[in-house]
Amino acid sequence: MQSRVGKAWELVSLRIKLTGLSVALIGLLLLVSSFGTVTLLRAYLQQNTDNLISSAATLLSQEDPRLIEPKILAKRLNLPRLPSDYVIAVLDPEGKTIFRIMARDSDEDDLPNLSILNLAGTAATAGLPFDLDDHGGLGDVTIDEHDSWRVVAKPFRNFAATVVVALPNSANLELLRQYRAIGGGFGFLLLAISGLTIWLTIAQALRPLREVERTAKLVASGDLSQRLIERPGKTEIARLNRSLNSMLDSLEDSVSSRNKTLNQMRRFVADASHELRTPLVSVRGYAELYRQGALKNKSDVQEAMGRIEAEAIRMSSLVESLLTLARLDENQKLEASPTDLAKLSRDIISRDVSSQHKISISLLTLGGAKLPNDFSLNAELNEGQIRQVLVNLIENAKRFSPDKGSIEIAVGQKTDDEVILEVIDHGEGIPKQLRDKVFERFYRADNSRNRDTGGTGLGLAIVKEIVTLHKGRIEVRETPGGGATFRIKLPVHHNWV
């Protein structure tokens, strides 16, 4: 189980965590640095003191002990520049003080006890500096004791006596104390400044995260158009913003696609229900008339059966169109093969047995040059789907063209990468404001006439879906002299053959 400390740590904000860890690390580095600096300074001060008293003791050990005091008072000895609180003493072989010279008056109790420095004790020090307290303690004394002295004892070269030079450690310790106080004060000031600077820097660095939080809240509330500010460069925030924006783009596209699909489904179900209701009501009505005996004459019965058959055919056509659209929506993989568009167009015209309309095929070129009737134009297409496109467009043209009217199919190559199919009629045409709506499912410019002529309102929608599946485009233009021209542009990778 997670400890209380761990749980409490998780509740702390990221800014406080980063600031606290940074300040703690800086404090640790300052502590280590200060400890090292103090250690080096203490070693330097002690070494400097040892050099001074050792030099003085060496010089005095070569003098006549009886002449040391007069020479020092007369300033005839070239001693090192000792601090003002030094002590020079001459001891007899038993360690008793013969005389003592001090730079300034000092209390007797504050002076070091030199009774242990007889000749044997002096020999034991080997002329090296050591610490000594005012009680004569030796060995357990450290420089950190304010009442200790740094002492050097050397025997005279030609006399049975000992010369001692001593300096108190208090001066060095006071200097170290002041350094610690000053260093500690500056350290705390530096920590405070560092903490404030780190806090502001992290706050500035985390500001984009607050922007992410704000954007996430707006997106969660339903505003999918929100985006993060694009930042230049390859910084972490820049990469994060780009990644999140890409994710939001995908999310918006997915939601938009889902909403569009749901809207289409609702509209599709509503329109399909409406379209099927009319023929079903008609079939039911004639069936009830027949059941009630209202159709007494054979001609009336035949007329009713004809109407029922016509409505059944219309419903079958509607169902087939619905199934076609459902397959197109479900299967977006194009199975293409080389297809001769000119041959396909001629085949569709030859199969049309309508005597009410005249259908012809012509060639569309950039320069307008006429080519022979046996020309061919190959493209990578799905032959069955393109056949359905042409059939639907021709049937649509028939419904809006006058009897004996001319319907033309034009095929041609606009560029090396694009072919064109056109179905041209000379009927009443399509108003400009309605040219985009005619490809919507169940859309009719004239509902009554479309029902009379058997239209389901799905033919052009199927055409649009097939063209889109082929990565092509379809548009409606006005035919010169009146009528509508449906132009289809399809990508192709083959030239004239």
Side-chain angles (χ1 to χ4, degrees):
M1 294 181 63
Q2 195 175 13
S3 65
R4 292 183 178 179
V5 176
K7 292 181 179 179
W9 179 252
E10 289 183 353
L11 297 177
V12 179
S13 68
L14 180 60
R15 186 191 307 181
I16 295 177
K17 287 180 181 178
L18 294 176
T19 303
L21 291 175
S22 300
V23 171
L25 180 59
I26 293 175
L28 179 61
L29 293 177
L30 285 175
L31 183 62
V32 172
S33 176
S34 299
F35 177 79
T37 304
V38 169
T39 301
L40 291 176
L41 179 59
R42 181 170 59 181
Y44 169 77
L45 293 175
Q46 183 168 304
Q47 182 65 38
N48 187 56
T49 300
D50 291 346
N51 291 338
L52 287 175
I53 61 179
S54 295
S55 299
T58 300
L59 181 61
L60 292 172
S61 66
Q62 299 174 4
E63 296 290 334
D64 184 344
R66 295 168 297 183
L67 301 177
I68 288 178
E69 186 174 9
K71 286 185 177 181
I72 291 177
L73 295 176
K75 297 182 180 180
R76 287 187 291 137
L77 282 178
N78 189 19
L79 295 176
R81 296 180 60 86
L82 295 172
S84 60
D85 49 359
Y86 68 86
V87 173
I88 297 176
V90 177
L91 309 178
D92 63 13
E94 286 75 26
K96 295 180 180 180
T97 302
I98 299 174
F99 67 87
R100 184 167 46 208
I101 302 173
M102 296 178 293
R104 61 184 180 183
D105 293 336
S106 299
D107 191 349
E108 187 71 21
D109 294 335
D110 295 335
L111 297 177
N113 188 347
L114 305 178
S115 60
I116 63 171
L117 295 177
N118 53 26
L119 289 179
T122 301
T125 64
L128 299 176
F130 60 93
D131 290 316
L132 186 67
D133 63 12
D134 55 0
H135 302 294
L138 179 64
D140 296 333
V141 182
T142 65
I143 194 174
D144 294 325
E145 297 184 19
H146 282 267
D147 57 354
S148 65
W149 291 73
R150 195 65 175 171
V151 178
V152 171
K154 290 190 176 184
F156 284 96
R157 179 181 299 178
N158 300 318
F159 299 92
T162 300
V163 63
V164 177
V165 180
L167 285 175
N169 287 324
S170 58
N172 290 343
L173 293 177
E174 181 63 21
L175 182 60
L176 290 174
R177 186 193 65 78
Q178 293 177 0
Y179 179 82
R180 289 193 188 100
I182 295 173
F186 275 107
F188 282 115
L189 179 61
L190 181 60
L191 278 179
I193 296 175
S194 299
L196 179 60
T197 303
I198 292 172
W199 176 273
L200 296 176
T201 301
I202 293 176
Q204 180 68 24
L206 295 181
R207 182 175 297 175
L209 294 184
R210 292 199 297 272
E211 180 188 347
V212 172
E213 179 184 6
R214 179 190 62 81
T215 303
K217 288 182 179 179
L218 293 174
V219 171
S221 65
D223 187 2
L224 298 179
S225 63
Q226 291 294 322
R227 293 296 182 271
L228 297 171
I229 299 175
E230 290 287 346
R231 300 181 183 274
K234 298 182 179 180
T235 62
E236 293 81 358
I237 296 299
R239 294 199 300 270
L240 175 64
N241 283 13
R242 285 194 290 268
S243 299
L244 290 177
N245 283 340
S246 298
M247 182 189 70
L248 292 175
D249 289 339
S250 301
L251 178 62
E252 185 179 18
D253 292 341
S254 299
V255 173
S256 298
S257 178
R258 185 202 65 176
N259 293 338
K260 182 179 179 181
T261 301
L262 290 175
N263 292 334
Q264 288 177 345
M265 184 179 298
R266 294 190 188 99
R267 186 174 66 251
F268 185 80
V269 171
D271 291 343
S273 301
H274 176 73
E275 292 297 324
L276 288 173
R277 185 184 299 115
T278 301
L280 285 174
V281 169
S282 178
V283 169
R284 181 180 177 181
Y286 283 111
E288 288 182 354
L289 288 175
Y290 180 77
R291 179 176 58 81
Q292 294 173 0
L295 303 177
K296 300 183 180 298
N297 299 329
K298 182 178 181 180
S299 60
D300 293 336
V301 173
Q302 290 179 345
E303 182 181 358
M305 292 301 104
R307 291 292 183 91
I308 291 175
E309 181 182 10
E311 295 297 341
I313 293 173
R314 183 167 175 270
M315 284 190 291
S316 298
S317 176
L318 177 61
V319 171
E320 288 296 329
S321 297
L322 290 174
L323 290 175
T324 299
L325 282 173
R327 293 191 191 101
L328 290 173
D329 290 337
E330 181 179 349
N331 183 17
Q332 295 295 321
K333 183 178 180 181
L334 179 65
E335 297 179 359
S337 60
T339 301
D340 187 347
L341 289 176
K343 181 179 178 182
L344 178 63
S345 301
R346 285 194 293 267
D347 182 64
I348 292 173
I349 293 174
S350 66
R351 292 173 182 269
D352 189 280
V353 295
S354 173
S355 60
Q356 294 182 349
H357 298 86
K358 177 182 178 182
I359 304 176
S360 63
I361 182 171
S362 61
L363 177 63
L364 174 70
T365 62
L366 287 175
K370 297 198 175 183
L371 297 176
N373 292 331
D374 59 350
F375 73 90
S376 61
L377 177 63
N378 287 347
E380 292 284 341
L381 305 168
N382 185 300
E383 181 177 350
Q385 292 180 350
I386 297 302
R387 179 185 293 273
Q388 186 172 8
V389 166
L390 290 175
V391 170
N392 286 5
L393 290 177
I394 290 173
E395 292 299 322
N396 181 77
K398 288 179 180 179
R399 284 192 290 271
F400 291 96
S401 296
D403 294 344
K404 305 298 182 179
S406 175
I407 300 174
E408 298 147 6
I409 300 176
V411 297
Q413 186 160 348
K414 190 74 173 177
T415 65
D416 291 339
D417 298 323
E418 192 176 63
V419 294
I420 293 178
L421 286 173
E422 285 188 348
V423 176
I424 307 167
D425 66 62
H426 301 278
E428 60 189 62
I430 301 175
K432 189 174 182 179
Q433 64 272 19
L434 301 180
R435 291 175 186 174
D436 291 332
K437 295 183 179 181
V438 295
F439 298 105
E440 296 178 2
R441 300 180 183 187
F442 295 111
Y443 178 81
R444 292 190 180 94
D446 185 347
N447 288 331
S448 60
R449 187 178 67 175
N450 275 308
R451 286 199 178 94
D452 293 339
T453 56
T456 64
L458 294 175
L460 293 182
I462 293 174
V463 170
K464 176 75 171 183
E465 292 292 334
I466 293 176
V467 172
T468 302
L469 184 61
H470 281 77
K471 308 297 183 185
R473 294 164 291 167
I474 184 170
E475 58 184 11
V476 183
R477 296 183 174 186
E478 183 178 359
T479 303
T485 297
F486 287 82
R487 167 174 282 198
I488 300 172
K489 298 180 181 179
L490 299 171
V492 65
H493 303 289
H494 298 275
N495 294 324
W496 297 95
V497 294

